[in-house]
Amino acid sequence: MTDSLDLLSPAAAVFVNKEHKLFINNEWVSAVAGGTIEVINPANGRSFTSVPAGESADIDRAVSAARNAFEHGEWADMSPSARGKLLWRLGDLVEEHADELAQIEALDNGKPFNDARWGDVAFSYELLRYMAGWSTKINGQTIPLSSGAPFHAYTLRTPVGVCGQIVPWNFSLMMAVWKVAPALAAGCTIVLKPAEQTPLTALRLAELVAEAGFPPGVINVVTGYGETAGAALAEHPDVDKIAFTGSTEVGKKILAAAGTNLKKVSLELGGKSPMIVYGDADIEKAVSAIASGIFYNMGQTCTAGTRLYLHNDVADRVLEGLVSHACALKMGPGLNPDTQMGPLVSEEQQKRVCEYIASGIEEGATVLTGGSSWNGAGFYVEPTILDHTHNQMRVVQEEIFGPVLCVIRFTDEQEENVVIQANNSIYGLAASIFTRDISRAHRVAKRLKAGTIGINTHHVIDPALPFGGFKQSGWGREMGWEAIELYTELRSVGVAL
């Protein structure tokens, strides 16, 4: 199966085919060492462009530009209102170029164009506008001292400084905006390092940053490998904060690197989200939400509902609906307008997912549908449902990051234990509950150890709603006011009267 660059709009084609450089201090520059990274189309496995392979010297240049912009000049003196207007302008530009950005993302990542356009890109421009509003609402407090001493005491909330931001390949544009928007609203400056597999939308975003009118050095984009550019950014002594979204394994390395100067760290890491379907659930609604929960973005979602705890009374009907849904999904290149499920991002990811499926089968799981990759070009894996799994299997305990659903059945007598099983994971990012009993829903929601919980739905996301996880799913919360807190510091001031 192949994908054709002929499906790109003229604007997207011009961008894809141009020579790509690093964006440092509002200038497009080559990498110091001159290396490049081939960008692969996951729909056919072929290289279609390249980007610079930035290394530590390039990170040094970008951090220096960000430090200068933070300490001196136009951005350092800019009013909160003016910052907010720039953010809003950037949101307008992202919306104006939404189709182009979605096409670039579909080509780069493999996801269906419609998902990129109405999911990733639409959420990005709305989040930029939401965070623009916070620019003028960041303040401290006046605090009466408990001792009654003759002091006027107050706090100041100020930007943390230069921020290194490392984003993943599964939602490359949206994850960049998740981090860029609150940091800019707070008044920070940024060095952004996109995933080497999907670097293009970050570079296109940088063009829009310049068009919006952000001063030099406020946002810098350095493409490169994680072990070189990413590591250099995480350990850089002049970076005040590092924000990372990606695997838990790499998150631990980021944390260790950040210890060189004890910079602030926020981490949004892996997940193994449980979905619990009780015997009184609305079957039609549950099937739709579960299918989206596991197969959206080809299962390459940190909140993917990969563990389905299914009451025996409704198991056959739910599974019949899920198998029917999976078999009906139209697989193909992301740029094809009728595609509902694209390829995985890389050959490495395809092999990883297929190895997990094989492991589940070897340990006793039954394949209800799917179970293999497509033959021929591209990194496709069929939507897969594994029945008769249990909590001791690798496919149930480890993050697969692919379209693989593991089914664990339970009875009335096991109802209390199912929440314990759902919590039996090193992760705690998301979870969902399907029941008509609203009292049960609230009781179970209080017991689940997850940062985001859906009731009769799975993916719950909004610019105003804090997002993050428990346990090894990360530190901190993105979006909402909580994201502003990640990018600010508090100063306490006491004035003797």
Side-chain angles (χ1 to χ4, degrees), residues 281-448:
D282 182 314
I283 303 300
E284 185 177 349
K285 290 182 179 178
V287 167
S288 176
I290 293 164
S292 173
I294 182 57
F295 298 135
Y296 183 75
N297 206 44
M298 297 74 73
Q300 298 170 134
T301 308
C302 52
T303 57
T306 57
R307 295 183 291 149
L308 176 60
Y309 293 91
L310 190 54
H311 195 286
N312 268 343
D313 288 353
V314 295
D316 290 343
R317 285 178 290 162
V318 170
L319 291 175
E320 181 182 358
L322 289 171
V323 169
S324 177
H325 182 101
C327 292
L329 287 172
K330 295 179 181 178
M331 296 182 67
L335 284 174
N336 283 3
D338 59 347
T339 291
Q340 296 173 300
M341 191 171 191
L344 301 188
V345 73
S346 66
E347 184 178 16
E348 177 186 6
Q349 188 64 16
Q350 181 192 42
K351 288 180 178 178
R352 170 188 170 91
V353 173
C354 289
E355 286 171 0
Y356 269 111
I357 294 172
S359 167
I361 295 170
E362 185 178 339
E363 291 186 280
T366 302
V367 179
L368 297 185
T369 188
S372 64
S373 60
W374 276 19
N375 294 325
F379 310 132
Y380 296 89
V381 172
E382 295 173 328
T384 298
I385 300 175
L386 300 178
D387 197 5
H388 304 298
T389 64
H390 56 76
N391 266 28
Q392 285 68 50
M393 289 182 172
R394 286 183 61 219
V395 287
V396 176
Q397 286 297 321
E398 298 177 19
E399 185 175 40
I400 300 173
F401 228 60
V404 182
L405 178 64
C406 300
V407 181
I408 302 170
R409 304 181 186 222
F410 68 95
T411 62
D412 285 338
E413 292 73 24
Q414 298 168 315
E415 191 168 305
E416 283 299 311
N417 188 55
V418 74
V419 178
I420 296 173
Q421 289 190 64
N423 286 332
N424 181 19
S425 171
I426 65 171
Y427 302 108
L429 193 57
S432 54
I433 306 155
F434 296 88
T435 179
R436 287 185 171 94
D437 185 338
I438 196 65
S439 296
R440 171 198 278 151
H442 287 299
R443 288 197 308 270
V444 174
K446 286 183 179 180
R447 293 177 61 195
L448 287 170

Side-chain angles (χ1 to χ4, degrees), residues 265-268 466-469 473-478 482 486:
V265 177
S266 56
L267 303 168
E268 196 269 281
F467 180 88
S473 286
W475 291 357
R477 294 294 183 270
E478 297 186 298
E482 287 74 8
L486 290 180

